[in-house]
């Protein structure tokens, strides 16, 4: 590494200077922050006529539940939806951005968006940020070429799968899928399996909880079933609100005003008297 | 200056520089063990793999062993430490037999002994790098417990070590119930072991299942599970999108 190379002007593209700094700090003993799978269970599966996506609804801020009923299944196009795990801001921003890019593309081409278009846009964005945009996505949809299901990892790699799970509850959900998935399931069987997998994540993973959201996408139709299952209701709710049963007898009612009301009338001229 | 002082103090606390006698990291490891209580006793399953880092080096490692007349132990983690634990247990059972008093150590007692051994080693910063499952039946009472390398112990109707906790426990929580028959129990364990085979990189497709009842124990011959790899998306992932991956 000669002095001449270092004084050249930056050429554009990704600048790796900070990576060199990070390596130097790591050698000096700085502990690098690890990759965090923040609390979530998201799943997708391909069934006979299309794709079913599922997600839990808990958003966590460290050990605290920040949102008990958030929406993790994001709209990308009328025929494409995307579940997001990882940093909530990153998943929201990246799915919103690609959703508007897809809309512009639809205006430009006059055709229905394809799932692989969304896939390529998402993966090239995430790759260029080298994993710092912490978004792990399950992308599913039905287009002219058929039903598709993909997973996208924060560093930009993708997989095409018949069934997929992501997030901290992914192992619990994957255990259900691996033991019960079959090809060519009907819609009801598929929704039941997705709900079971999300419930497995909700009840066995501390980072996932609350309700189950399901989204069924078929050719020409999508059903967004918000809060398809609510297996964690409030345990004790009083239907009457706060009323106390009148058990004690009233013997005497006396109303004592706390203060005498004195009316002060302004007016009158000081110079009059 | 403060950092240097505390660093050298820590070194003295943990033994001298040339002290390489403590277990620092595991070398040859076994993966998960899964166990359930069923109608007549206990069923424990473990595969026969011994990994050396990321290589699947040994494929005939017996990780399930009988202990005395009433129990079977299953171990995951460092295999050499498991062999040491077996030596301790053999000595324990031998001394118990030498009393010749008609009484024999049951699973609860063996589990307690193991807990004390693991916890005391952990306190000396020299752990036995294992997660153990101990199951057995004595006087009609079924017992199933687990101990980890830091001495955490508990008893439950179904237990698992390692990856089994993440992949097998959710299935067992859903599908286990009292009074499983032997066939149902084996089917349930095989379901869990199949998921582990698909999703745990250190699993091998060669497993043994141990059965303990009041009558005694049997450890099955090694056999393999059937797997399914014929999903359409596995065969042709880029249908509809030539050139993508």
């Amino acid at each position: 590494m000669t002095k001449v190379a270092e004084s050249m002007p930056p050429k554009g593209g990704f600048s790796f200077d900070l990576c060199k700094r990070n390596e130097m700090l790591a050698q000096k003993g700085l502990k690098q922050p690890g990759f965090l799978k923040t609390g979530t269970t998201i799943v997708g599966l391909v069934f006979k006529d299309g794709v079913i996506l599922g997600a839990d609804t808990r958003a966590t801020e460290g050990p605290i539940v920040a949102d008990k009923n958030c929406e993790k299944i994001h709209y990308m196009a009328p025929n494409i939806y995307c579940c997001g795990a990882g940093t909530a801001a990153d998943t929201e921003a990246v799915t919103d951005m690609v959703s508007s890019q897809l809309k512009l593309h639809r205006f430009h081409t006059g055709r229905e968006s394809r799932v692989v278009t969304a896939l390529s846009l998402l993966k090239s964005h995430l790759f260029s940020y080298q994993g710092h945009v912490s978004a792990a996505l399950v992308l599913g949809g039905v287009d002219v070429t058929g039903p598709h299901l993909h997973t996208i990892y924060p560093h930009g790699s993708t997989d095409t799968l018949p069934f997929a799970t992501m997030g901290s509850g992914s192992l619990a959900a994957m255990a259900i899928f691996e033991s019960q998935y079959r090809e060519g399931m009907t819609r009801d069987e598929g929704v039941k399996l997705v709900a079971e997998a999300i419930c497995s994540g909700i009840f066995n993973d501390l980072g996932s909880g609350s309700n189950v959201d399901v989204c069924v996408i078929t050719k020409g139709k999508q059903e967004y079933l918000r809060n398809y299952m609510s297996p964690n209701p409030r345990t004790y709710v009083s239907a009457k609100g706060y009323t106390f049963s009148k058990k004690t007898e009233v013997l005497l009612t006396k109303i004592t005003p706390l203060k005498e009301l004195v009316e002060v009338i302004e007016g009158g001229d000081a110079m009059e008297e | 200056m403060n950092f240097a002082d505390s660093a050298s103090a820590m070194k003295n606390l943990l033994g001298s520089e040339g002290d390489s006698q403590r277990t620092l990291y595991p070398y040859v490891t076994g993966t998960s063990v899964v166990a359930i209580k069923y109608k007549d006793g206990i069923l424990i399953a473990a595969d026969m793999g011994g990994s050396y880092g990321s290589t699947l080096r040994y494929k005939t490692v017996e990780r399930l062993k009988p202990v005395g007349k009433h129990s079977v132990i299953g171990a995951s983690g460092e295999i050499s430490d498991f062999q040491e634990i077996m030596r301790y247990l053999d000595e324990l059972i031998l001394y118990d037999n030498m009393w010749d008093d008609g009484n024999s150590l049951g699973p609860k007692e063996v589990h307690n002994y193991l807990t004390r051994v693991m916890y005391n080693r952990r306190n000396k910063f020299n752990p036995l790098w294992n997660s153990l499952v101990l199951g057995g039946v004595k006087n009609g009472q079924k017992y199933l417990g687990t101990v980890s390398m830091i001495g955490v112990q508990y008893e439950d109707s179904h237990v698992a070590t390692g990856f089994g906790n993440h992949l097998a426990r959710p299935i067992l929580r859903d599908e286990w119930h009292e009074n499983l028959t032997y066939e149902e129990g084996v089917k349930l364990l095989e379901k869990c072991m199949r998921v582990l085979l698909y999703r745990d990189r250190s699993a091998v497709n060669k497993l043994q299942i141990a059965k303990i009842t009041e009558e005694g124990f049997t450890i099955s011959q090694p056999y393999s599970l059937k797997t399914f790899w014929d999903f359409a998306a596995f065969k042709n992932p880029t249908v509809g999108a030539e050139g993508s991956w």
Side-chain angles (χ1 to χ4, degrees), chain B residues 195-227:
Chain B
V195 178
L196 284 167
L197 177 63
Y198 284 139
R199 293 287 163 175
D200 177 5
R201 81 165 188 182
S202 31
V204 296
N205 195 2
K206 189 173 172 193
L207 66 140
Q208 290 179 304
I209 297 195
K211 167 171 81 109
I212 313 101
T213 57
E214 188 68 51
E215 286 82 54
F217 71 89
T218 46
I219 302 185
S220 73
Q221 289 291 8
Y223 69 102
S224 68
L225 295 168
K226 292 207 193 77
T227 55

Side-chain angles (χ1 to χ4, degrees), chain B residues 36 171-172 175-177 180 183-193:
Chain B
I36 54 172
I171 301 178
L172 294 171
E175 300 187 21
W176 182 90
H177 58 87
L180 285 164
E183 287 76 28
E184 288 175 340
V186 170
K187 232 172 123 219
L188 187 54
L189 277 183
E190 285 187 347
K191 195 184 223 193
C192 296
M193 295 305 282

Side-chain angles (χ1 to χ4, degrees), chain B residues 94-105:
Chain B
L94 181 70
Y95 275 89
D96 183 46
N97 286 340
M98 291 199 313
W99 279 104
D100 200 19
D101 55 4
N103 201 3
S104 51
L105 289 174

Side-chain angles (χ1 to χ4, degrees), chain B residues 71-135:
Chain B
S71 337
V72 168
I73 184 175
S76 68
E78 172 62 59
I79 299 297
S80 63
D81 282 346
F82 176 48
Q83 290 168 347
E84 184 75 358
I85 288 171
M86 286 316 297
R87 278 192 40 238
Y88 288 155
L89 288 175
D90 284 343
E91 195 183 290
L92 179 76
I93 299 296
L94 181 70
Y95 275 89
D96 183 46
N97 286 340
M98 291 199 313
W99 279 104
D100 200 19
D101 55 4
N103 201 3
S104 51
L105 289 174
K108 201 175 274 206
E109 289 82 50
V110 177
H111 186 222
N112 187 266
Y113 173 77
L114 286 171
T115 309
R116 292 294 101 226
V117 167
M118 301 301 267
Y119 184 64
N120 277 297
R121 290 289 297 254
R122 164 261 194 199
N123 284 343
K124 295 187 216 159
F125 282 93
N126 186 13
L128 289 160
W129 208 286
N130 296 106
S131 291
L132 307 166
V133 167
L134 202 295

Side-chain angles (χ1 to χ4, degrees), chain A:
Chain A
M1 190 107 50
T2 63
K3 274 228 156 56
V4 178
E6 300 222 80
S7 61
M8 273 167 59
K11 276 200 205 132
F14 191 78
S15 161
F16 286 88
D17 291 336
L18 285 178
C19 294
K20 274 196 277 184
R21 176 206 74 158
N22 289 344
E23 259 173 56
M24 183 267 294
L25 285 173
Q27 267 178 2
K28 295 225 170 126
L30 172 74
K31 183 172 170 292
Q32 300 274 29
F35 167 50
L36 271 177
K37 270 188 301 196
T38 46
T40 291
T41 310
I42 49 173
V43 305
L45 69 73
V46 175
F47 72 110
K48 196 157 51 98
D49 309 316
V51 169
I52 307 177
L53 300 174
D56 74 306
T57 59
R58 173 182 284 184
T60 50
E61 216 177 294
I64 301 169
V65 178
D67 188 347
K68 287 186 282 191
N69 206 187
C70 70
E71 287 187 18
K72 298 190 191 181
I73 305 185
H74 308 284
Y75 167 87
M76 298 286 265
N79 59 324
I80 308 173
Y81 276 77
C82 186
C83 307
T87 307
D90 285 339
T91 58
E92 275 288 344
V94 92
T95 48
D96 267 358
M97 185 195 77
V98 172
S99 174
S100 27
Q101 284 180 345
L102 284 177
K103 180 114 193 180
L104 289 171
H105 193 250
R106 275 203 293 287
F107 281 134
H108 200 72
T109 57
R111 291 183 170 89
E112 188 188 60
S113 299
R114 300 194 186 189
V115 180
V116 284
T117 318
L119 182 72
S120 307
L121 289 168
L122 285 164
K123 71 151 73 172
S124 53
H125 179 83
L126 291 174
F127 180 73
S128 66
Y129 281 88
Q130 289 289 296
H132 292 288
V133 175
S134 176
L137 309 167
V138 170
L139 174 72
V142 181
D143 54 31
V144 280
T145 50
H148 295 281
L149 178 69
H150 302 279
T151 51
I152 310 165
Y153 287 81
H155 285 266
S157 66
T158 59
D159 291 306
T160 314
L161 297 165
F163 54 90
T165 67
M166 297 283 256
S168 59
S170 62
L171 278 83
M174 186 52 86
I176 301 296
F177 271 170
E178 281 283 19
S179 46
Q180 293 180 35
Y181 178 79
R182 299 175 337 260
E183 288 202 290
M185 282 193 284
T186 64
R187 179 200 179 279
D188 291 329
E189 290 171 336
V191 169
K192 187 161 164 289
L193 187 59
V194 162
E196 234 185 281
I198 298 290
C199 281
S200 175
I202 286 174
F203 291 116
N204 291 299
D205 172 46
L206 297 175
S208 314
S210 300
N211 315 120
V212 181
D213 283 351
V214 172
C215 183
V216 185
I217 311 169
T218 49
K219 192 168 176 55
K221 186 165 87 110
Q222 26 74 299
E223 289 170 73
Y224 183 65
L225 303 166
R226 169 79 171 146
N227 286 4
Y228 172 75
M229 258 178 87
S230 298
N232 290 303
R234 281 188 96 128
T235 338
Y236 305 107
V237 188
S238 168
K240 309 190 290 272
Y242 289 110
T243 51
F244 303 94
S245 47
K246 299 183 177 67
K247 285 275 162 69
T248 43
E249 207 188 299
V250 177
L251 295 174
L252 170 67
T253 311
K254 182 176 168 202
I255 300 170
T256 314
L258 291 170
K259 214 164 141 175
E260 288 291 334
L261 181 61
V262 176
E263 279 215 36
V264 175
I265 307 168
E266 273 213 52
D269 199 1
M271 290 309 183
E272 245 179 37
E273 289 142 45

